[in-house]
Amino acid sequence: MIARRLILALCVAILVSGIFTYLLSRRFSKSAPAAAQLRYVATAKNLEAGQILEASNLTMVNWPVGQPLKGAFLKTEDVVGRTVMYPVAGGEPVLDRQVSAIGAGTGLSTRIPQGMRALSLKSDQVVGVAGYLLPGTRVDVLVTFHTPASPDPVTSTVLQDAQILTAGQKMQPDPDGKASTVDVVTLLVTPADAEKVVLASAQGTVHFVLRNGADHELHDDPPTQLSSLGAAVRVTPVVKAAPVKTVAAVPQGPKPYRVEVVRGDKQTMENF
């Protein structure tokens, strides 16, 4: 009998404590304020560079107030009509640096930062580093030309650490890193560098030297002349011998006869 009462009291205590716990949790959950969130404009799907943002390509995502994103947008109308400058994954908030400026247009012009210029130069499979001049890679530009002071060719570096914007008409490298044969590459340069490269390319042949993407060191090396390559490549000028003039021999006639002539007391020599 006593055991029954104890078990009954224990069950009632458990039931009452459960009810109170449930009621208290409901009360505190209602009174706790909801975590504040921001809503940023994001992409609804994967977008490639060069695509124009439309309302159908955009969505809104929640973001914690305590971790704001610099350059993010709160309204879709602030983004519609702009061009994507770099590939963006779906669901990623759109940032100002990823899209073109308002009124910047479309195409390659949207990828040119303010104050910079895009310059196209002729290339081929040899000077184009066997097809590995891809968008995003960095190169030095060398020019081989002749100077008025010397007939020997001179090679000089006229531009260093220049970024390639496009290879041919491609603004994105091959996903597998395969080489691409192109005959024109477009570089991102300053106005002063653009003038320098155009002037130098008009004097001779342009060559591209591929750089490591993490190497941004600039070198101040003097131009290289043919004479600095060593004696093995020095060209010895060939001096032509002066032509020998041949004088034709003049035929000689027979030798004259000398005869002593005696006239009285006079003696003379006569030639016949």
Side-chain angles (χ1 to χ4, degrees), residues 1-270:
M1 188 71 178
I2 297 175
R4 265 185 205 180
R5 290 179 179 179
L6 291 176
I7 294 173
L8 180 60
L10 179 61
C11 292
V12 171
I14 294 175
L15 179 61
V16 171
S17 63
I19 294 173
F20 273 99
T21 302
Y22 173 75
L23 294 176
L24 288 174
S25 63
R26 290 287 302 271
R27 182 175 180 180
F28 282 112
S29 63
K30 290 181 179 180
S31 60
Q37 291 185 333
L38 293 172
R39 288 181 62 80
Y40 285 137
V41 179
T43 54
K45 60 182 180 180
N46 296 341
L47 298 178
E48 298 295 333
Q51 284 188 250
I52 299 177
L53 289 172
E54 301 176 354
S56 58
N57 297 332
L58 303 172
T59 186
M60 302 297 294
V61 295
N62 294 327
W63 201 265
V65 175
Q67 298 177 349
L69 288 177
K70 185 178 180 179
F73 298 92
L74 300 175
K75 300 178 181 179
T76 56
E77 49 265 30
D78 295 336
V79 182
V80 172
R82 298 195 187 189
T83 303
V84 178
M85 298 176 61
Y86 308 98
V88 182
E92 180 179 346
V94 179
L95 303 180
D96 184 63
R97 68 173 185 270
Q98 297 172 327
V99 295
S100 64
I102 299 176
T106 60
L108 180 61
S109 61
T110 62
R111 305 192 63 182
I112 304 175
Q114 186 173 358
M116 301 295 285
R117 304 290 185 268
L119 174 66
S120 296
L121 293 174
K122 183 73 174 178
S123 174
D124 57 39
Q125 290 189 12
V126 177
V127 303
V129 198
Y132 283 97
L133 294 181
L134 305 175
T137 56
R138 308 188 79 88
V139 295
D140 292 346
V141 180
L142 281 64
V143 177
T144 300
F145 57 97
H146 291 81
T147 64
S150 173
D152 292 339
V154 175
T155 297
S156 177
T157 300
V158 296
L159 187 61
Q160 300 185 57
D161 196 28
Q163 179 185 351
I164 295 180
L165 285 179
T166 66
Q169 296 181 344
K170 295 181 179 180
M171 292 190 291
Q172 294 295 326
D174 188 275
D176 299 328
K178 296 181 180 179
S180 177
T181 302
V182 296
D183 56 2
V184 175
V185 294
T186 302
L187 305 179
L188 183 65
V189 296
T190 64
D193 286 337
E195 295 176 358
K196 186 188 303 183
V197 174
V198 170
L199 178 61
S201 61
Q203 310 303 316
T205 306
V206 175
H207 306 269
F208 297 97
V209 181
L210 191 62
R211 296 178 65 111
N212 185 317
D215 179 13
H216 302 289
E217 184 178 357
L218 304 181
H219 299 271
D220 188 16
D221 299 326
T224 301
Q225 298 181 346
L226 182 64
S227 58
S228 65
L229 299 182
V233 297
R234 291 176 185 168
V235 179
T236 304
V238 179
V239 179
K240 295 183 178 180
V244 178
K245 296 182 179 179
T246 304
V247 180
V250 179
Q252 299 180 355
K255 295 182 178 181
Y257 294 97
R258 297 176 62 83
V259 178
E260 183 178 1
V261 179
V262 179
R263 292 186 179 90
D265 57 350
K266 297 180 179 180
Q267 295 181 355
T268 60
M269 297 298 293
E270 301 289 342

